[in-house]
Each structure stands twice: as structure tokens, then as C-alpha cells.
Amino acid sequence: MHINKKVIDQICILMIDRQDALNAMNPDILRELDQAIKTCISDQNIGVIILTGAGDKAFIAGADIKVMQDLDVKGAVNFAKLGQEVTMTIEDSPKPIIAAVNGFALGGGCEIAIACHLRFASDNAFFAQPEVKLGLIPGWGGTQRLPRIIGKGNATELIIGGHMINAQEAFRIGLANKVFEQDKLMEETKNFANTILGNGPDSIAESLRCINESAGHSLIDGLNLEVEAFSKRFGTDETNEGLDAFVEKREANFRN
Ligand code: DAK
């Protein structure tokens, strides 16, 4: 088992723990992560998921290079599809998933981070898509998600340069949402998770769906999707509670 799970007050921390390989992902760990996230999604007692790496050096140092050494074309298709399945499970989660990037997020590790809804980084974090240095290209969605998050120019620079950038640079280009001192990362990430937990769970899920579906849609199709999702909120208990709480000058209680 390489995924440690801890649930406290509706926040689930999933920690990838394979420190002797800087948390590099092999097929077994990918499957384990996929299952762990699916279990969190169906657990009523979990509202936010935080994904991080064990130790103080790495979030995930990439796909396991030793596994890739033995791949033929068919094996590579399967490995790419498995990683892409995990990143889709993450991206499609109706519960927010925050990557707490506590060190190296390289190659497949960066791709898992960019599938998450938010990236909070420690000041010792480094991000890279170094696949071209290995004679590869990103295989778990890097060429598709990175341009959508940081723009085509920045993504191209990272993907064909293959170089590492530090947390501050990642923040500057919009790859990291926030940067914290290393020993504050989990505390600050949990603080933001608690902020999210104060908000309506169905409204959050619908917002994530609209944001995700905006990619690949024309603006007008995206706006229509938003109108549909927005209007469906009306008449629900959650929306009634949110609107009533504001008018009655009290905190909304969405989760009990
Ligand atoms: N895979 C396997 N082992 C890794 C690893 C990785 N990605 N990264 C680190 N390790 C292992 C090292 O081999 C070493 O193991 P031992 O030699 O002790 O057995 C241990 O972790 C500690 O690493 P170092 O001794 O190298 O530690 P340093 O502090 O000196 O350096 C480092 C840290 C992160 C700078 C360095 O380890 C490094 O450069 N690691 C490789 C990072 C990297 O290139 N990551 C991207 C991998 S490529 C696709 C599917 C997927 C992908 C692409 C295509 N298709 C199927 C189409 C994804 C590609 C990638 O992710």
C-alpha cells in the first residue's frame, strides 16, 4: 500500500508514500490512487480532498522511469491510458481536490498536480515537464491541460525546455495558486479546505463541472451550460438555505 489516508472534519488527506523513489508512480500506485479518490468521492463524510507526497522532498517525481524502460508501444499505450484515467478521475471529482505540492512535481507528478482543481505549493517545490530530456513527451495530459492553465506560450516553454521552475515562478505564471513556507503548507491548505467546506457542496460540484466543461466549448455554448446549471440551483434546499441565511443575517448551514 502506497497511499496513506487520513480524514479529519470532512477533509481527506491522501498521501502518496514511496519515498525511496521520491513518490514516483508505477501502475500499482496509479490504480491505488484512482481507487482511493473514488472511495473519497462516494464518502458522505468527505467534502474536500488534499493530495500530497510523503516526506519533505517530493510531491511526485514523475512516472516511474524504471517501469518505462521496459515498455513497448502497446505497454506505453496502457501506461498512458492508466495515468490519463487517474487524472480524469481527479479532474471530474465533484469534490474539490487540492494538490499540496510539497517538493518535486515532475513529469507525471506535474500532470497529476494540474489535474487537481487547485495547487498550493511549499517554497521548496519545483515543477517541470522534463519528458523531452528522456526522449519522451508528456503522457498523462500535460500537453492538453498545461496550456489551459498557464497559456500556450508558457506551456510550450516548459514542455520543450524540460527545465525546472521553482515555486515562485510557478506562482508567477499561474501554475501554483499559492505558495507557503514549507512547514505551513498543510495547515494553510487545510484552512482553505475549511473555507470551501463552508460553501454549498452541490454549488461547488456544479461550478467545477461548468469550469471543466468550458474547455473545448465555444463561449456561447459555455454560457448556455452555465445558464442551465445556474437555473437548476433554484428551488433546491441548498440554494434556499444560502439565500435565506444571507437575508436572515446568519451563517449558512449547508452540510448538516
Ligand atoms: N522514477 C523512478 N525513480 C525515481 C524517479 C522517477 N521518476 N525520480 C527519482 N527516482 C529515484 C531515483 O532513481 C533514486 O533511487 P535510487 O537510485 O536511490 O534507487 C531515488 O528516487 C532518489 O533520487 P535521486 O538520488 O536522484 O535524488 P536527487 O535529490 O539527487 O534528485 C531529482 C532528485 C528529482 C532531481 C531526480 O531524482 C530526478 O531527476 N528524477 C527524475 C525526474 C523526472 O525526470 N521525472 C519525470 C519522469 S518522466 C507516457 C506516460 C507517462 C509519461 C510520459 C509518457 N506514455 C506512456 C506515453 C510521464 C513521464 C514522466 O513522468
Side-chain angles (χ1 to χ4, degrees):
M1 299 291 279
H2 289 286
I3 312 280
N4 303 330
K5 177 176 173 181
K6 196 157 73 178
V7 183
I8 306 168
D9 298 335
Q10 300 185 68
I11 300 171
C12 176
I13 299 172
L14 293 178
M15 182 182 278
I16 294 148
D17 190 355
R18 190 193 176 201
Q19 292 184 58
D20 57 350
L22 301 183
N23 305 325
M25 302 295 281
N26 61 29
D28 286 344
I29 306 180
L30 283 169
R31 284 187 206 100
E32 211 184 310
L33 178 61
D34 195 58
Q35 194 47 57
I37 292 167
K38 286 177 175 157
T39 304
C40 288
I41 291 170
S42 55
D43 185 338
Q44 301 270 26
N45 295 314
I46 293 171
V48 178
I49 300 157
I50 298 174
L51 184 61
T52 194
D56 55 10
K57 208 169 157 186
F59 172 69
I60 299 168
D64 189 323
I65 295 172
K66 290 167 192 163
V67 167
M68 289 194 289
Q69 260 189 317
D70 296 329
L71 291 181
D72 57 12
V73 172
K74 189 162 175 273
V77 168
N78 292 337
F79 196 41
K81 284 196 171 158
L82 180 59
Q84 290 187 357
E85 222 174 280
V86 178
T87 57
M88 284 313 301
T89 299
I90 294 172
E91 186 170 271
D92 284 347
S93 166
K95 299 178 180 176
I97 305 186
I98 307 174
V101 180
N102 57 315
F104 294 114
L106 310 177
C110 188
E111 290 171 303
I112 288 174
I114 60 176
C116 292
H117 304 111
L118 295 168
R119 284 152 295 287
F120 290 177
S122 57
D123 52 9
N124 66 323
F126 285 93
F127 295 79
Q129 294 291 161
E131 286 86 349
V132 290
K133 289 183 184 294
L134 299 164
L136 292 170
I137 72 161
W140 295 344
T143 62
Q144 303 306 303
R145 289 196 181 89
L146 207 51
R148 290 174 187 175
I149 294 172
I150 60 175
K152 190 172 166 184
N154 285 323
T156 304
E157 190 177 327
L158 275 183
I159 290 171
I160 68 174
H163 55 290
M164 284 193 210
I165 57 170
N166 65 21
Q168 284 305 335
E169 177 65 2
F171 177 69
R172 190 187 69 78
I173 63 175
L175 181 50
N177 293 85
K178 293 179 189 293
V179 180
F180 300 108
E181 286 172 22
Q182 193 183 0
D183 61 353
K184 298 267 164 51
L185 176 66
M186 280 317 285
E187 180 191 332
E188 295 286 358
T189 306
K190 283 189 226 161
N191 284 344
F192 194 76
N194 275 316
T195 300
I196 296 172
L197 286 171
N199 301 330
D202 294 339
S203 310
I204 291 170
E206 279 298 276
S207 301
L208 293 177
R209 187 173 72 84
C210 287
I211 293 166
N212 281 343
E213 291 192 16
S214 71
H217 275 297
S218 68
L219 178 61
I220 196 73
D221 285 349
L223 290 173
N224 285 334
L225 171 75
E226 193 181 74
V227 168
E228 189 196 327
F230 176 80
S231 52
K232 278 193 189 149
R233 307 298 313 128
F234 287 81
T236 64
D237 290 345
E238 182 175 302
T239 303
N240 288 342
E241 168 64 7
L243 298 175
D244 291 353
F246 178 81
V247 173
E248 292 162 16
K249 298 187 188 302
R250 60 174 174 81
E251 283 288 314
N253 184 352
F254 290 119
R255 291 179 193 258
N256 295 322

